[in-house]
Amino acid sequence: MSPRPTGPKDDNEAQRVYLRFRKVFGDPSTRSRDARRRIARAGSPSQPFSSGRDPKGIADVILGVTTELGWNSTLAQSDLMTAWPDMVGVELADHSVPVGIEDGTLTVQCDSTAWATQLRLMRAQITTSIMGTYPEAGIQSMRFLGPNAPTWKRGPRSVPGRGPRDTYG
């Protein structure tokens, strides 16, 4: 038995086999629906080492995932909560803490009623700054609370009146 020859003849044979398979089975890049979408989006079939084939950075990938899953609003709200000292300044941040965000309203707990009043006076500036820096957070209004005082009130809605004391006699 003689050894199998190598050289241009083998290259031609491999090329012929490839072209024959492609003719019989069709172009694999045009068969699937996803492949057709890629071709329509790119304008031409994807080729190795062509433009658009470079790997993306991790920041681009994470941004794409958060956008696709709808997490941008939640992430912007958490960024706002952690960046509160930068938004209002160190002195105001020492006396106020953002408590939560509900239905586009940012609730801020203050050390005293004086600090709550000061922040109420600055509401327009702070809201404008938040909307400019964190538009995805969806903040439309702000609510400033003074220090907690004991109360008989339960929940956000209650019936006016004396409360539990009116049943004592």
Side-chain angles (χ1 to χ4, degrees):
M1 231 196 238
S2 64
R4 187 171 176 196
T6 60
K9 183 179 180 197
D10 285 338
D11 292 338
N12 290 338
E13 183 179 352
Q15 188 176 19
R16 284 194 316 264
V17 169
Y18 171 75
L19 292 174
R20 173 76 176 141
F21 279 155
R22 190 168 178 170
K23 182 179 178 184
V24 170
F25 296 109
D27 187 2
S29 65
T30 60
R31 269 193 260 150
S32 72
R33 183 178 66 182
D34 292 334
R36 286 191 303 269
R37 284 183 186 163
R38 279 194 305 269
I39 291 170
R41 200 173 337 136
S44 65
S46 177
Q47 296 293 323
F49 307 109
S50 64
S51 64
R53 298 279 301 196
D54 293 331
K56 295 182 180 178
I58 189 71
D60 295 333
V61 172
I62 290 175
L63 179 63
V65 168
T66 58
T67 302
E68 185 178 325
L69 296 176
W71 293 348
N72 285 349
S73 176
T74 307
L75 291 174
Q77 290 175 359
S78 65
D79 285 346
L80 169 63
M81 300 286 261
T82 58
W84 180 252
D86 297 332
M87 298 298 295
V88 297
V90 177
E91 184 178 4
L92 288 174
D94 288 342
H95 299 283
S96 63
V97 176
V99 179
I101 299 172
E102 187 175 325
D103 297 328
T105 302
L106 173 65
T107 305
V108 179
Q109 181 75 46
C110 300
D111 289 348
S112 68
T113 54
W115 285 108
T117 303
Q118 179 65 31
L119 284 169
R120 279 187 202 106
L121 294 173
M122 297 176 63
R123 178 179 309 190
Q125 290 173 291
I126 296 170
T127 306
T128 303
S129 177
I130 289 172
M131 287 179 168
T133 309
Y134 299 102
E136 298 90 16
I139 303 298
Q140 292 139 5
S141 64
M142 298 180 71
R143 192 172 123 204
F144 300 102
L145 306 174
N148 288 334
T151 180
W152 289 96
K153 184 177 177 181
R154 300 280 189 248
R157 296 179 185 90
S158 64
V159 177
R162 291 192 53 188
R165 292 177 295 279
D166 65 353
T167 60
Y168 293 148

